[in-house]
Amino acid sequence: SPSPCLQQTMVLKSVLGDYASLAMIGIALVAILANSTSIDPDDSIPWEVTLCGTCALSVSAVAILAKKPEVAYFVMGTLTLLAPSYYVWYRNVDIHNWTFGTRYGVKTSAAEILTGYWESTPNVTRFDALMPGPLTLAHISFAKPSVRLFANATEIFHSGIELRDEAGVKTHDYLLVQSPRKVKKEVAALMTLIKVPTTFEVWPANADTTMDLQIASGIVMPHLFSARVLPLEKGAAVNKLMEKHSLRPFLFDVFEVDHKPNMWDMYDESR
């Protein structure tokens, strides 16, 4: 059996190890709370991250005090595994519609497009330097980032498709955003379908759906659509669009609409 001196040394190391772990947890907790109360909202941690991080660190501290380090390891390991996915989900990649068609063909998958624009969007790749080789957080994330599509009003058309609720009230307009692509010395129009809630009042009620948005609405300023990328919906109406246009195999489900006179204006508040 170990000598009393060795036993005392082992106990001391165990106690110091517990205190060191608690100290690191305390420092991390203070850092989270301090960052969440930042004066600049764009630089602060979202409230859900503050809540989740505080709970996880508190549980880990209690587990260490209760001599259950495996619980602390599990909680912190899970948090570490999910953190990149949340970071990617919370970010936006910026797409300029005028160059969208030139950069990616009509058959390019949504995953390839999001990964490509992730690498070219300012302020989202700050942690990619920690990844080995050409990998980015977007490659290992379980979630996909949102997109911000910058398009001129002359590039936006109505698809002729509307979504109505059970009472017959229109809830969404399906719009087409046209992006040019040069193919064999000819310019082709690639279309991206976007689903826009009528609450944003992008397409005026009873407006001519054969014209572009600038003529239909009288709004000259470019639109900035923030959206989630979803698979292209199925149905006879969408099939007709695919027969008529070069339609991308996904759609943008819009959750915010803004107006920007210049694409570079949005980088002042880029997330």
Side-chain angles (χ1 to χ4, degrees):
S1 62
S3 64
C5 182
L6 182 58
Q7 290 180 349
Q8 291 178 359
T9 302
M10 294 174 61
V11 170
L12 181 60
K13 287 184 177 181
S14 176
V15 172
L16 291 177
D18 290 344
Y19 279 126
S21 299
L22 291 174
M24 289 188 291
I25 291 175
I27 293 172
L29 182 59
V30 170
I32 289 177
L33 295 177
N35 197 287
S36 65
T37 58
S38 172
I39 297 177
D40 187 353
D42 292 332
D43 292 334
S44 63
I45 294 178
W47 68 268
E48 59 268 27
V49 176
T50 302
L51 178 61
C52 181
T54 302
C55 292
L57 292 172
S58 300
V59 170
S60 299
V62 172
I64 291 175
L65 290 174
K67 303 300 182 182
K68 297 287 186 180
E70 64 277 5
V71 176
Y73 297 153
F74 174 78
V75 171
M76 300 307 296
T78 303
L79 195 64
T80 303
L81 179 65
L82 296 179
S85 296
Y86 179 82
Y87 177 81
V88 172
W89 175 84
Y90 187 70
R91 297 287 164 175
N92 303 302
V93 296
D94 298 324
I95 300 176
H96 195 310
N97 184 63
W98 181 252
T99 60
F100 190 18
T102 301
R103 184 168 177 177
Y104 293 106
V106 68
K107 295 183 179 180
T108 309
S109 68
E112 184 177 347
I113 289 173
L114 290 174
T115 301
Y117 276 109
W118 175 271
E119 297 173 356
S120 62
T121 300
N123 301 331
V124 302
T125 59
R126 63 186 70 178
F127 299 115
D128 288 347
L130 302 176
M131 301 297 296
L135 289 179
T136 67
L137 291 180
H139 287 106
I140 65 172
S141 170
F142 297 116
K144 297 180 294 185
S146 299
V147 300
R148 293 195 299 182
L149 177 66
F150 181 84
N152 293 315
T154 54
E155 301 166 346
I156 303 171
F157 301 84
H158 203 290
S159 68
I161 304 176
E162 300 173 347
L163 182 64
R164 296 180 180 271
D165 59 19
E166 296 178 353
V169 178
K170 185 171 70 171
T171 59
H172 294 78
D173 283 302
Y174 287 78
L175 307 181
L176 290 169
V177 183
Q178 175 181 287
S179 182
R181 179 177 177 84
K182 190 174 182 180
V183 180
K184 296 180 180 179
K185 299 183 179 181
E186 295 183 359
V187 178
L190 305 188
M191 296 293 190
T192 304
L193 190 63
I194 63 174
K195 183 179 180 181
V196 185
T198 54
T199 52
F200 294 125
E201 299 180 349
V202 174
W203 196 271
N206 303 319
D208 188 349
T209 58
T210 63
M211 303 294 182
D212 62 56
L213 181 59
Q214 180 169 311
I215 297 177
S217 65
I219 297 177
V220 180
M221 190 173 292
H223 286 61
L224 184 64
F225 298 99
S226 298
R228 290 289 176 189
V229 182
L230 300 177
L232 193 63
E233 296 177 359
K234 298 180 180 180
V238 174
N239 291 338
K240 289 183 179 180
L241 285 179
M242 296 181 69
E243 294 174 1
K244 186 177 180 180
H245 304 287
S246 296
L247 191 64
R248 294 188 182 277
F250 51 82
L251 64 81
F252 292 160
D253 189 9
V254 176
F255 58 81
E256 185 179 352
V257 179
D258 199 0
H259 298 90
K260 295 287 184 181
N262 190 309
M263 180 184 180
W264 303 107
D265 291 346
M266 63 183 168
Y267 290 137
D268 294 336
E269 57 191 46
S270 176
R271 296 189 295 123

